[in-house]
Amino acid sequence: PKSKPSKNRTKARVNFAKSHRETTRKRDDHQWKLAHELCKANSFIAFEDLNMDGMMRLWGRKVSDLAFASFVEKLEQVAPKYGTVIQKVGRFFPSSKLCGCGVINHLLTLKDREWLCANCGTLNQRDLLAANNILAEGIRLCQSGRKTGLAPQPAVTASDSSLV
């Protein structure tokens, strides 16, 4: 450690701030370029409206280092330039738990990367299923004119209750 009133401490503090500023600028540049690239290539983008504060409490600074919220803001600024529609899907939508047949797997944990639907027998890969469900829900919300929200839950009958 350097002593407080020293010139070496001041130099180290300035260098540290400079490296942080450089990292921030590189991240911002990458995010702007990615936002332009995504909006040029797609006319519709749907994503989950995540609770970033809750994720930060759970996983700490790693989440804020990703700067997802600032990327979404950049994407929303760039989208009108290319005519791209941005649609947020509610954070409580069961994107990775909802099978294509409409059954929700309530027993799914974060460790489960794939799961077998008890109703239709489909082997679902969690991330791919979530991406497809978010896109489908985003399209549905966009067509209904809603900004964000939950899809109506499929009705569970007495015969289906043992499967869920």
Side-chain angles (χ1 to χ4, degrees), residues 35-45 82 84:
H36 280 276
E37 185 180 320
L38 286 173
C39 289
K40 277 182 196 175
N42 302 289
S43 60
F44 182 81
I45 299 173
Y82 296 100
T84 302

Side-chain angles (χ1 to χ4, degrees), residues 46-149:
F47 58 90
E48 200 169 8
D49 186 23
L50 299 172
N51 178 8
M52 300 309 291
D53 293 334
M55 290 173 72
M56 273 187 59
R57 272 185 246 120
L58 188 61
W59 291 304
R61 272 186 27 202
K62 291 180 273 190
V63 174
S64 63
D65 286 347
L66 296 173
F68 179 72
S70 68
F71 174 67
V72 171
E73 288 175 11
K74 289 176 180 77
L75 197 61
E76 288 174 338
Q77 289 177 15
V78 171
K81 182 177 181 179
Y82 296 100
T84 302
V85 177
I86 303 291
Q87 180 66 51
K88 292 182 182 179
V89 174
R91 67 182 67 151
F92 298 110
F93 177 72
S95 57
S96 57
K97 297 179 180 185
L98 181 63
C99 182
C101 67
V103 172
I104 299 174
N105 182 354
H106 294 288
L107 303 175
L108 202 60
T109 64
L110 281 174
K111 291 181 183 177
D112 300 328
R113 301 321 301 163
E114 56 185 31
W115 57 277
L116 189 65
C117 179
N119 188 40
C120 66
T122 305
L123 181 65
N124 294 303
Q125 293 180 359
R126 183 188 188 109
D127 296 333
L128 186 60
L129 181 68
N132 289 331
N133 283 339
I134 288 170
L135 178 61
E137 176 67 2
I139 291 170
R140 189 191 71 76
L141 288 172
C142 187
Q143 288 173 345
S144 69
R146 293 174 61 191
K147 295 258 184 206
T148 186

